[in-house]
Amino acid sequence: LTQHSSTDPMLVASPLASGALLRLSSESTTMLQSLVSWPHLVFMRGGIYKLCYTPDGSVIGDTWRNNIIPVDMKVIGVFSSCRTDDCLFNERWDCYFSYRAEKVSPCTVDFRTYGGGRNGWRVESGGISRVSWSAAWSEDTFVFGNFSAGRQQRCSDVVMGQYIVPETGRFVNFSYNPPGGAGFDAGASTFLSLPALRPDTAVNSFSMTACYCPNYDSPADATPGACDHTSEFIQPIGVIYYWTMRICDPNEGRSCGVVSPPFMRILPQQPFALRLQCPPGGTSCSGGMENRLKLLPTITGGGEFPEYPVWDSREQCKTESDETDQITYEPFPANGTSGDGHKSGGGRRDYKLWSSPYLVGMLHLEGKVEVCYCDADCVNPSNFFRVGEIVVAAEVGLARWTQPIGSTGVIQPIATLEFVTKAGSVTLFAGMTSNITEGMHPHDSVPWRRKSTLKLVSYDDEKIYAPYGWDSSRRPPSSSQQVTLEKSLRLDRSSTAEGRAGLDTACGTAAFNSVLINGPGSADAAKEYLAWVGPEPSQYLPFSGKENDQSFVVLAAGIYVVCYCSILDDKQLCAQSSYYNQATKIMIKGPRPGQEIKLPLNFVVRLDLEGWGFTNQDSIRLISMTQTCAENANDPKSVRSFRLGCPGLGGSTCRQPEEKEDVGVSVVSSNSTDIYIESIVIGESESTLAFSGDIAAELLDGDAVTLEQTSILLNGRTHAQWTDHERGFVSRLSGYRNYPDEPTVQRMLWNRVSYIQKSVGSNGMVEYERRKLTINVGWPQGPNMPEFTFLNRSGGWARRNRLQSHEEIKVDREALMKICWATHDVGRQQYYGTAGTVRFENPQQMTDAGVHLTARLHGSVAPALISFSPRRGQRVYRDYHTPVVVRILFRDLHGLLAPLAGQTGKGLPANESVPMESASQAICGKLFSEMWTNDDAGFPLPLGCYYGLEYTDFRGADEPFQPAYREYFILFDAKRGLKDICTKTEGSVTRQVNCVYQLAFNARVGAIDLRTNPEIVSIHTQCAGRSGYSPVCCPRYIVIEFGAGRSPLPALPAKENATELGRVELLPLQQ
């Protein structure tokens, strides 16, 4: 069609259109012609044309008279295989996007001759070849049952003086080619890919006319070039339809996306509706009922399965007919009818709606289904095209309460489980929608509508699973080979889709556990805790029984997978075990039960516990074995057989605890180590943290950490600027999740760190990175991947699976105590958990140990001798690649034996000490006058000696006198120190003997009374590896051997003019 005249805007058929003939007039004997104007001759399609001539004015009759004039007419432009009137304008270039443009199909206009191109489409190009588009067509209206199509937009018309104004507001910023032009290159070897959509405007479908510039330079353009002005895009080549689909509540399909935002996710086994927004203009959807929906399983595999444009004949919707069984229609069949009428979206032309019957997703978390639509003639699969996808939420929200706080009624809200042995409930949360300007809310999903049952599955404590990669064809793993569910799926190392899907399998196959759960510990018991919701929608899914008043207790701390089933049989049991779905994970804070700790006597020590969710606000209490931690309303009394605040300084510290005194604790963190996170490199399933110091010396492989949110920057924004969408990203990295019903409160759900292998030595020893760790969280590569940095390159962190008391505990006599753990809750410390026991005892005894005096008079100063003999067969001294330290504790400086420094006859200053880092051989000479052994190799050369302060413990009102004490230390290099077997040569005979080591020093003799047989010195040999959780040869505080140094002779009362020896000479030991 073209304009009728220069003044009449009416459109009429162009000359030669629809088979019309054009009459020629004879201007001369050599020329036939016809002036073609108003209406002009207009070609709607590019290509090669020929003229047919008939001398009698008719193409019928004497056909031998008709001739084809041997002249080709080349029309520059695009053509397709369509043959009907104005069909090129009505061709379709279908695309789709999801709400907020989270997913956008490849939206292209492609008529390439080589390397692709749409079937049946070609271009006759003549120089510059470009494509643009019109303004968006106006919206359709539907008022009182009457549909009015939106106004369509045409391409530029120079004659009419009407030019396209390309839609730009729905797209992110882009530049034309050339930048000042109005289109993009598209021809025989290039194609148009439309710009990305803006998320904040991607809420409704829209239509645009695709317009082509056939190397045209219009008179309206002042520049000499072609296709650089909107007036030059004159050929309509179809309609670009942007479809969008909305996920709705079944009762709100007609208002979905109009009154309130649609949902972006569905939930397993929960009803939902679909609403397909027809692009406006009246041509995208017909008014009939023959339209159909087709739901296909998503093809995975990345590049192996490329995503084709919607219009491509290879696209899945056009080639696949087998629909997924993971989406069902209920009730089915609709209204008692048969056939596929339930797949029709109705007869409205502005949208199609599938809500009666509604749909139910039988997929697990993160599942996807492709949605295909056909408007007519749906028997032909090529008429289907993709309009979106249905996506299941990646995780279900966990509410803090069973109902909204402030709810009126007799039944009060029950808090979600948080601490071991403390009663609570589990409530799942859904039904949130997203703010279009902020991004998807982390708990965006349809609401709950179905009664459901609960199962809790141990995630990281119960070891009943085969190790990762275990060959199933082999015999089952033994109990010692079995691992936790977390390790079995390797989720402790990386968060893979395969591993996360394994949690759904575990939900179905794992047995209930009444040992761990005092409540829904069996399928039958779980019936008492059913979540009674529906048929009306609910944001809360509380597993608290019919009256919403049942709570229960978890008896063992740990992380549990929260599994639910909403398909119940007539006995209120899950209809099939495979119907159990994982929803989320929940941490029950507390210590690992059954820990048995052994510590030596007369050491200042700390207690180290394993568990879940530890903080600096926790505490421990030591009680007798006959008590329970829960007595006296979780506030038991302490035993008094240990001391706190040790070592004793001047008799003012190191005291017995008060009756209900808490032992202070802490977690290792960036604050305690002064080591911070400098940067992070995000991976798809794990990420790499770089630290400012030697982090491998502080954390073990597999430790669990949280990151300080206030130190994290997301895309350069601080925590005060984050949207709900951004907080969802940060929560995964930090290990803190907000409760959706009370967002100001967070729950802990940590991540684990792993060592990074650096190299493998020739001896097979693995070397690890010292300043880098991986963390088991990641994001797919792409434009939506978050960018994390840290404030001042100082990211805070804390270890949450290990708790340590302050190093202040000392026990003098053998004792066995129970360890109780508390957290601050309801205004005070609540002792909810029993961690295990701690036993203080002397370790394995040496073969011999003693103190020998050269002067026995009380108060005399003379050389003394400490002798000890390691136990034969103690291989630690020769096998371990770690320095060994000999600790000598002088038990009573003023009452039994006081060591003196050098030949001065004076003791060391009470407030003077030397740390291990400053140990030296010179200090050995200061402390000891001679060192001797019976080994042929001689006394091993120490690396150095060091010593501690003089200590005196606090004396309570009911306690005896507290003596002053001091420690000397001798440090030996690995495998160059003490031995368990020595070599002795006498004459020509060499034999192996027990080793004897003797240390001589000056001392002042005290009141040594054999009737009490006092222990004058305590001798300990220990591994000198780094203290803490990275020991080289043994756990912290473990003593290799112990010797009690006693004197075989008593001290004598002092006499006047008593002789004092100045030195002692050690003679060979007689065997």
Side-chain angles (χ1 to χ4, degrees), residues 15-16 20-26 32-36 54-58:
L16 295 176
L21 299 180
L22 181 64
R23 184 173 297 280
L24 303 176
S25 61
S26 176
L32 293 173
Q33 68 177 19
S34 177
L35 181 64
V36 184
T54 176
D56 59 0
S58 173

Side-chain angles (χ1 to χ4, degrees), residues 481-496:
Q481 294 173 316
Q482 290 176 329
V483 297
T484 64
L485 176 60
E486 179 187 34
K487 287 182 177 292
S488 176
L489 299 173
R490 208 172 181 270
L491 289 172
D492 60 321
R493 300 286 178 177
S494 57
S495 179
T496 62

Side-chain angles (χ1 to χ4, degrees), residues 172-452:
V172 298
N173 292 335
F174 64 92
S175 296
Y176 292 111
N177 182 26
F184 295 89
D185 290 343
S189 59
T190 58
F191 66 95
L192 166 67
S193 180
L194 276 86
L197 295 176
R198 285 176 48 187
D200 59 336
T201 62
V203 295
N204 208 353
S205 59
F206 63 99
S207 308
M208 305 180 302
T209 304
C211 301
Y212 178 72
C213 172
N215 194 36
Y216 177 56
D217 185 17
S218 81
D221 179 17
T223 65
C227 301
D228 59 358
H229 189 266
T230 57
S231 63
E232 294 159 353
F233 292 83
I234 56 176
Q235 183 188 9
I237 56 172
V239 183
I240 302 172
Y241 290 123
Y242 271 97
W243 298 76
T244 189
M245 186 185 66
R246 299 172 179 172
I247 298 174
C248 313
D249 183 81
N251 289 351
E252 299 177 355
R254 297 188 181 279
S255 61
C256 181
V258 180
V259 177
S260 60
F263 301 104
M264 298 180 69
R265 297 290 187 268
I266 68 168
L267 290 175
Q269 301 173 1
Q270 302 305 310
F272 66 96
L274 288 181
R275 172 169 162 157
L276 180 63
Q277 296 298 115
C278 300
T283 55
S284 61
C285 292
S286 64
M289 300 291 290
E290 60 271 21
N291 62 84
R292 291 294 182 267
L293 197 67
K294 180 165 67 175
L295 304 175
L296 300 176
T298 297
I299 297 178
T300 59
E304 184 180 353
F305 300 97
E307 184 175 6
Y308 298 108
V310 170
W311 45 259
D312 197 298
S313 59
R314 297 168 294 177
E315 209 279 322
Q316 185 184 3
C317 288
K318 300 180 182 298
T319 60
E320 297 291 333
S321 298
D322 294 334
E323 296 194 53
T324 180
D325 59 358
Q326 295 181 311
I327 300 289
T328 63
Y329 295 84
E330 298 186 17
F332 178 82
N335 302 321
T337 61
S338 59
D340 63 351
H342 60 285
K343 297 181 181 180
S344 172
R348 287 189 58 155
R349 297 175 63 188
D350 53 344
Y351 67 82
K352 302 297 181 181
L353 178 64
W354 292 266
S355 63
S356 181
Y358 54 76
L359 297 91
V360 176
M362 300 301 291
L363 304 92
H364 295 302
L365 295 184
E366 301 184 70
K368 292 182 180 180
V369 165
E370 306 298 339
V371 181
C372 309
Y373 174 75
C374 166
D375 194 63
D377 189 19
C378 299
V379 176
N380 185 350
S382 64
N383 289 330
F384 280 92
F385 56 92
R386 190 182 310 211
V387 292
E389 62 183 14
I390 301 169
V391 184
V392 187
E395 185 179 27
V396 179
L398 185 68
R400 193 183 183 201
W401 304 97
T402 53
Q403 56 181 308
I405 291 294
S407 300
T408 59
V410 177
I411 306 301
Q412 295 299 306
I414 302 172
T416 287
L417 292 165
E418 185 176 6
F419 304 112
V420 64
T421 73
K422 182 185 179 183
S425 185
V426 171
T427 302
L428 299 179
F429 192 88
M432 300 286 287
T433 56
S434 301
N435 187 319
I436 187 65
T437 63
E438 295 184 355
M440 189 180 80
H441 192 284
H443 303 298
D444 187 312
S445 64
V446 297
W448 305 103
R449 279 182 170 272
R450 286 186 162 177
K451 182 167 53 178
S452 305

Side-chain angles (χ1 to χ4, degrees), residues 1028-1050:
Y1029 286 101
S1030 300
V1032 180
C1033 66
C1034 55
R1036 187 179 179 87
Y1037 303 122
I1038 294 299
V1039 174
I1040 301 171
E1041 288 186 292
F1042 161 74
R1046 293 182 170 86
S1047 173
L1049 299 173

Side-chain angles (χ1 to χ4, degrees), residues 684-698:
E684 187 156 340
S685 59
E686 61 186 47
S687 301
T688 301
L689 301 173
F691 292 81
S692 61
D694 185 2
I695 193 63
E698 303 294 342

